Amino acid sequence: MLLRHTLYYFTARGLPGLVNFAALAVFTRLLAPEEFGRYALVLAGVGLANVIFFQWLRLVLARFYQANRSCREQYLGGIFALFLSVAVPVTGAGLVLALAWPDPLWQGLLLLSVALLLTQAWFELNLSLAQASIEPVRYGKLSGTKAVVAITLGGSLAWLGLGATAPVVGLVAAHLISFLAFGWFAWRGVKPALPGSDTLKSQLGYGLPLTVTFALSWVVSGSDRLLIAWLLDERSVGVYAAGYDLAFQTLMLVLTIINTAAFPLAVKALERGGGPAAKRQLGENGQLIFVAAIAGGCGFVALAPQVVEIVIGTEFRSDALAIFPWVVFACAIAGIKAFHFDLAFQLGVASRWLVLTGAAAALSNLALNMLLIPGFGILGAAWATLAAFVISALLSAVLGLRVFDMPPLGPMIGRALVIGGFSGGVAWLAAGQFTSVWSGLVSGLLAGTVVGLAACWLLNVAGVRARLQQRFSG
């Protein structure tokens, strides 16, 4: 079931991810580095506000939807009411901040940021509903429509010369259109009504510690852009964001696809079979996460020169390539932490411990950024990010064992390192046989993928060999 659902979500999230990949290529060619830097700062600020005010609702929906499926409309009515209760004051505060801002350019961007925050938060809540309902087709329709509209409209406006405003407007419209096309009917018959005090207390007890955790995670992944803008300039933010987003978002997309399919299965196993069943499911899930993170990271680094030249605009390339390997492995560590180690706290309903791991990462990241950016520029920010994720992952792994019975790490790490070494090495060798950038990328990607899949078969990752043998023998 895990592999089948992963394939479903690979289509549902992978195709929109390719469109977002193309969007990076479009915007780094149509926007100047300083304009792309302003756009990146908008996304960073909206991301922080989204995490602080709305992330907990998505987590509550994903964790407890299965347990409340017998009273679905009542449960969603509570989620809807809580969303409105948060959205109204947040909108008012955002408008006041935007209108009081002294810089006319940033005043307009802040007004758009308020609209982006609300539409993005509601859109992501609908994605969580589709995921919790185990509806990958609807998930894919929502994601795909949003991605296509965002690049089409945003790219057109950027071509017309609207600068940093263009991609923001494209995103706002994309969220609205995708919901109207494929999301609204999931809320038919749902009337907003705040949940009872006991229910609300349990939801807040689960969601708020995770909100603090994700806010602290944002400090690691997003505050570097604000610090670069403060310590350097907006142009440096633009070139850093281009390289960071290409490396981090592409690998994280693969890991998120796996987790999107895997997490509901772990929750379902826990609800129906208890801790032992959840541990078995986590063993399969974790093996897939480790292999994708480490092998994918090795392959991505091996093909970095080709990927950067194809995707990133000329003005961004040299700086993007310098930070690329560091960000790739930071992403691999971050994905393993978020999609494996942290699940101990979510399934064990002990999310308060995540605050400690997030605080350690955030504090170390801020300190290292302040220390390294003045001397090493954006490369120092990449080093700080990698170090912070390593610290938080180690802490999460150790503390998680006290909360939930997790599967052993040795087989996961061993298989992932073997597969990553072989697939990454073969990809690098194959790509080096060609002078053409496209030929090198395609040959390296194909060779690395074939070797990686063969290694997964031989090492029986997530039980793939046993399942296929059973299926074909039957």
Side-chain angles (χ1 to χ4, degrees):
M1 184 178 290
L2 170 61
L3 295 175
R4 184 172 72 251
H5 279 247
T6 300
L7 290 174
Y8 288 157
Y9 281 109
F10 180 80
T11 303
R13 296 200 68 149
L15 294 180
L18 291 177
V19 177
N20 293 333
F21 197 67
L24 185 60
V26 169
F27 292 131
T28 56
R29 285 168 171 80
L30 294 177
L31 301 179
E34 58 271 16
E35 292 174 331
F36 193 84
R38 296 185 195 110
Y39 168 56
L41 290 171
V42 167
L43 292 185
V46 168
L48 175 61
N50 195 4
V51 164
I52 292 175
F53 297 113
F54 297 104
Q55 179 80 12
W56 69 278
L57 264 179
R58 297 194 293 274
L59 294 168
V60 166
L61 177 59
R63 175 63 180 84
F64 297 109
Y65 179 84
Q66 283 289 329
N68 290 274
R69 61 188 184 278
S70 60
C71 52
R72 179 183 181 277
E73 292 183 0
Q74 180 182 353
Y75 179 70
L76 291 181
I79 296 292
F80 190 13
L82 290 171
F83 179 87
L84 294 175
S85 299
V86 175
V88 171
V90 167
T91 301
L95 292 176
V96 170
L97 175 64
L99 294 175
W101 202 268
D103 185 344
L105 174 62
W106 272 103
Q107 187 178 75
L109 286 173
L110 286 172
L111 287 171
L112 282 174
S113 298
V114 175
L116 179 58
L117 171 61
L118 295 176
T119 56
Q120 180 175 310
W122 180 248
F123 173 78
E124 290 179 355
L125 191 66
N126 278 271
L127 286 181
S128 294
L129 177 56
Q131 178 189 2
S133 306
I134 313 182
E135 298 181 65
V137 174
R138 184 159 66 89
Y139 192 106
K141 289 179 179 178
L142 284 165
S143 300
T145 304
K146 176 248 180 180
V148 171
V149 173
I151 188 175
T152 302
L153 181 58
S156 299
L157 295 176
W159 181 73
L160 291 173
L162 269 67
T165 301
V168 180
V169 172
L171 282 173
V172 172
H175 291 139
L176 290 173
I177 291 171
S178 59
F179 170 72
L180 293 175
F182 300 109
W184 67 270
F185 56 84
W187 299 87
R188 283 184 299 187
V190 174
K191 297 180 180 179
L194 288 172
S197 58
D198 291 341
T199 301
L200 180 59
K201 184 178 179 180
S202 65
Q203 290 177 345
L204 291 173
Y206 174 77
L208 291 184
L210 288 174
T211 293
V212 176
T213 301
F214 279 97
L216 292 170
S217 296
W218 176 91
V219 173
V220 181
S221 61
S223 65
D224 45 6
R225 304 180 188 206
L226 302 181
L227 290 172
I228 290 170
W230 176 41
L231 296 171
L232 301 176
D233 51 43
E234 290 178 349
R235 187 188 186 282
S236 297
V237 177
V239 294
Y240 177 80
Y244 187 104
D245 289 348
L246 175 60
F248 200 94
Q249 292 185 13
T250 306
L251 181 56
M252 188 59 74
L253 172 64
V254 177
L255 302 178
T256 303
I257 288 170
I258 297 171
N259 184 66
T260 302
F263 182 68
L265 298 179
V267 173
K268 184 178 179 180
L270 179 63
E271 294 290 342
R272 300 185 180 183
K279 181 179 179 179
R280 287 192 298 272
Q281 186 65 55
L282 286 173
E284 291 190 14
N285 297 357
Q287 184 64 83
L288 214 52
I289 288 289
F290 270 82
V291 168
I294 296 175
C298 291
F300 214 19
V301 169
L303 300 175
Q306 292 81 8
V307 172
V308 169
E309 184 169 346
I310 289 171
V311 178
I312 300 294
T314 305
E315 293 184 75
F316 299 79
R317 284 178 190 162
S318 60
D319 290 313
L321 189 58
I323 68 170
F324 195 87
W326 305 103
V327 176
V328 166
F329 288 115
C331 177
I333 299 298
I336 290 171
K337 175 189 180 294
F339 301 142
H340 184 70
F341 294 143
D342 287 358
L343 297 191
F345 308 106
Q346 296 183 41
L347 295 178
V349 194
S351 52
R352 63 188 180 277
W353 288 102
L354 285 171
V355 176
L356 180 60
T357 66
L363 292 175
S364 59
N365 180 255
L366 287 174
L368 289 170
N369 269 317
M370 295 294 292
L371 179 66
L372 296 174
I373 289 176
F376 298 95
I378 63 173
L379 187 58
W383 292 342
T385 298
L386 175 59
F389 278 128
V390 169
I391 291 170
S392 62
L394 291 174
L395 193 57
S396 179
V398 172
L399 293 177
L401 292 174
R402 302 183 178 184
V403 175
F404 198 84
D405 188 17
M406 298 290 285
L409 283 177
M412 297 183 189
I413 297 175
R415 289 174 178 172
L417 289 175
V418 171
I419 295 170
F422 276 106
S423 60
V426 169
W428 178 76
L429 289 173
Q433 304 304 309
F434 297 88
T435 56
S436 167
V437 175
W438 275 103
S439 298
L441 176 62
V442 172
S443 62
L445 185 61
L446 287 176
T449 301
V450 169
V451 170
L453 290 175
C456 287
W457 167 271
L458 291 173
L459 296 176
N460 197 30
V461 171
V464 60
R465 187 179 69 224
R467 282 185 170 83
L468 289 177
Q469 286 177 341
Q470 181 181 13
R471 178 163 185 165
F472 286 113
S473 63

PDB file of all heavy atoms in Angstrom, residues 9 13 104 157 164 188 351 361 376 407 431:
ATOM      1  N   TYR A   9       0.852   9.755  -5.206  1.00  0.00           N
ATOM      2  CA  TYR A   9       1.218  11.109  -4.808  1.00  0.00           C
ATOM      3  C   TYR A   9       2.417  11.638  -5.595  1.00  0.00           C
ATOM      4  O   TYR A   9       2.625  12.846  -5.661  1.00  0.00           O
ATOM      5  CB  TYR A   9       1.493  11.168  -3.307  1.00  0.00           C
ATOM      6  CG  TYR A   9       0.228  11.230  -2.489  1.00  0.00           C
ATOM      7  CD1 TYR A   9      -0.187  10.143  -1.723  1.00  0.00           C
ATOM      8  CD2 TYR A   9      -0.557  12.371  -2.484  1.00  0.00           C
ATOM      9  CE1 TYR A   9      -1.356  10.197  -0.978  1.00  0.00           C
ATOM     10  CE2 TYR A   9      -1.726  12.440  -1.745  1.00  0.00           C
ATOM     11  CZ  TYR A   9      -2.117  11.355  -0.991  1.00  0.00           C
ATOM     12  OH  TYR A   9      -3.277  11.409  -0.266  1.00  0.00           O
ATOM     13  N   ARG A  13       1.838  15.242  -6.724  1.00  0.00           N
ATOM     14  CA  ARG A  13       2.726  16.321  -6.309  1.00  0.00           C
ATOM     15  C   ARG A  13       3.916  16.478  -7.239  1.00  0.00           C
ATOM     16  O   ARG A  13       4.494  17.559  -7.332  1.00  0.00           O
ATOM     17  CB  ARG A  13       3.237  16.062  -4.884  1.00  0.00           C
ATOM     18  CG  ARG A  13       2.166  16.073  -3.841  1.00  0.00           C
ATOM     19  CD  ARG A  13       2.722  16.302  -2.458  1.00  0.00           C
ATOM     20  NE  ARG A  13       3.259  17.643  -2.311  1.00  0.00           N
ATOM     21  CZ  ARG A  13       3.254  18.315  -1.160  1.00  0.00           C
ATOM     22  NH1 ARG A  13       2.732  17.762  -0.083  1.00  0.00           N
ATOM     23  NH2 ARG A  13       3.775  19.516  -1.080  1.00  0.00           N
ATOM     24  N   PRO A 104       6.708  53.059  -0.205  1.00  0.00           N
ATOM     25  CA  PRO A 104       5.559  52.760  -1.076  1.00  0.00           C
ATOM     26  C   PRO A 104       5.696  51.414  -1.798  1.00  0.00           C
ATOM     27  O   PRO A 104       4.702  50.714  -1.981  1.00  0.00           O
ATOM     28  CB  PRO A 104       5.556  53.924  -2.075  1.00  0.00           C
ATOM     29  CG  PRO A 104       6.300  55.020  -1.392  1.00  0.00           C
ATOM     30  CD  PRO A 104       7.323  54.356  -0.544  1.00  0.00           C
ATOM     31  N   LEU A 157       2.805  38.333 -16.106  1.00  0.00           N
ATOM     32  CA  LEU A 157       2.923  39.642 -15.462  1.00  0.00           C
ATOM     33  C   LEU A 157       4.382  40.062 -15.318  1.00  0.00           C
ATOM     34  O   LEU A 157       4.717  41.244 -15.450  1.00  0.00           O
ATOM     35  CB  LEU A 157       2.235  39.608 -14.104  1.00  0.00           C
ATOM     36  CG  LEU A 157       0.710  39.398 -14.127  1.00  0.00           C
ATOM     37  CD1 LEU A 157       0.163  39.281 -12.709  1.00  0.00           C
ATOM     38  CD2 LEU A 157       0.017  40.540 -14.871  1.00  0.00           C
ATOM     39  N   ALA A 164       8.628  42.253  -8.756  1.00  0.00           N
ATOM     40  CA  ALA A 164       8.361  41.300  -7.678  1.00  0.00           C
ATOM     41  C   ALA A 164       6.872  41.087  -7.439  1.00  0.00           C
ATOM     42  O   ALA A 164       6.464  40.072  -6.871  1.00  0.00           O
ATOM     43  CB  ALA A 164       9.021  41.783  -6.390  1.00  0.00           C
ATOM     44  N   ARG A 188     -19.168  21.007   1.374  1.00  0.00           N
ATOM     45  CA  ARG A 188     -20.626  21.081   1.276  1.00  0.00           C
ATOM     46  C   ARG A 188     -21.265  20.489   2.534  1.00  0.00           C
ATOM     47  O   ARG A 188     -20.896  19.405   2.979  1.00  0.00           O
ATOM     48  CB  ARG A 188     -21.116  20.322   0.044  1.00  0.00           C
ATOM     49  CG  ARG A 188     -20.907  21.074  -1.266  1.00  0.00           C
ATOM     50  CD  ARG A 188     -21.494  20.327  -2.448  1.00  0.00           C
ATOM     51  NE  ARG A 188     -20.858  19.026  -2.618  1.00  0.00           N
ATOM     52  CZ  ARG A 188     -21.074  18.223  -3.656  1.00  0.00           C
ATOM     53  NH1 ARG A 188     -21.916  18.580  -4.599  1.00  0.00           N
ATOM     54  NH2 ARG A 188     -20.443  17.058  -3.745  1.00  0.00           N
ATOM     55  N   SER A 351       4.014  16.338  21.217  1.00  0.00           N
ATOM     56  CA  SER A 351       4.647  17.298  20.307  1.00  0.00           C
ATOM     57  C   SER A 351       5.412  18.389  21.037  1.00  0.00           C
ATOM     58  O   SER A 351       6.207  19.110  20.421  1.00  0.00           O
ATOM     59  CB  SER A 351       3.586  17.929  19.400  1.00  0.00           C
ATOM     60  OG  SER A 351       2.505  18.449  20.167  1.00  0.00           O
ATOM     61  N   ALA A 361      17.908  24.093  17.039  1.00  0.00           N
ATOM     62  CA  ALA A 361      18.254  24.407  15.656  1.00  0.00           C
ATOM     63  C   ALA A 361      18.192  25.903  15.388  1.00  0.00           C
ATOM     64  O   ALA A 361      19.080  26.475  14.730  1.00  0.00           O
ATOM     65  CB  ALA A 361      17.311  23.664  14.716  1.00  0.00           C
ATOM     66  N   PHE A 376      31.691  35.272   5.068  1.00  0.00           N
ATOM     67  CA  PHE A 376      31.616  34.328   3.959  1.00  0.00           C
ATOM     68  C   PHE A 376      30.402  34.549   3.058  1.00  0.00           C
ATOM     69  O   PHE A 376      30.187  33.791   2.111  1.00  0.00           O
ATOM     70  CB  PHE A 376      31.591  32.886   4.500  1.00  0.00           C
ATOM     71  CG  PHE A 376      32.824  32.512   5.261  1.00  0.00           C
ATOM     72  CD1 PHE A 376      32.867  32.628   6.648  1.00  0.00           C
ATOM     73  CD2 PHE A 376      33.951  32.055   4.603  1.00  0.00           C
ATOM     74  CE1 PHE A 376      34.002  32.281   7.366  1.00  0.00           C
ATOM     75  CE2 PHE A 376      35.092  31.701   5.301  1.00  0.00           C
ATOM     76  CZ  PHE A 376      35.128  31.826   6.692  1.00  0.00           C
ATOM     77  N   PRO A 407      11.408   2.089  14.839  1.00  0.00           N
ATOM     78  CA  PRO A 407      12.188   0.985  14.269  1.00  0.00           C
ATOM     79  C   PRO A 407      13.687   1.278  14.332  1.00  0.00           C
ATOM     80  O   PRO A 407      14.102   2.429  14.418  1.00  0.00           O
ATOM     81  CB  PRO A 407      11.697   0.941  12.810  1.00  0.00           C
ATOM     82  CG  PRO A 407      11.157   2.302  12.541  1.00  0.00           C
ATOM     83  CD  PRO A 407      10.594   2.785  13.833  1.00  0.00           C
ATOM     84  N   ALA A 431      27.291  11.542 -16.465  1.00  0.00           N
ATOM     85  CA  ALA A 431      27.150  12.928 -16.892  1.00  0.00           C
ATOM     86  C   ALA A 431      28.458  13.481 -17.440  1.00  0.00           C
ATOM     87  O   ALA A 431      28.464  14.309 -18.362  1.00  0.00           O
ATOM     88  CB  ALA A 431      26.672  13.785 -15.721  1.00  0.00           C
TER      89      ALA A 431
END
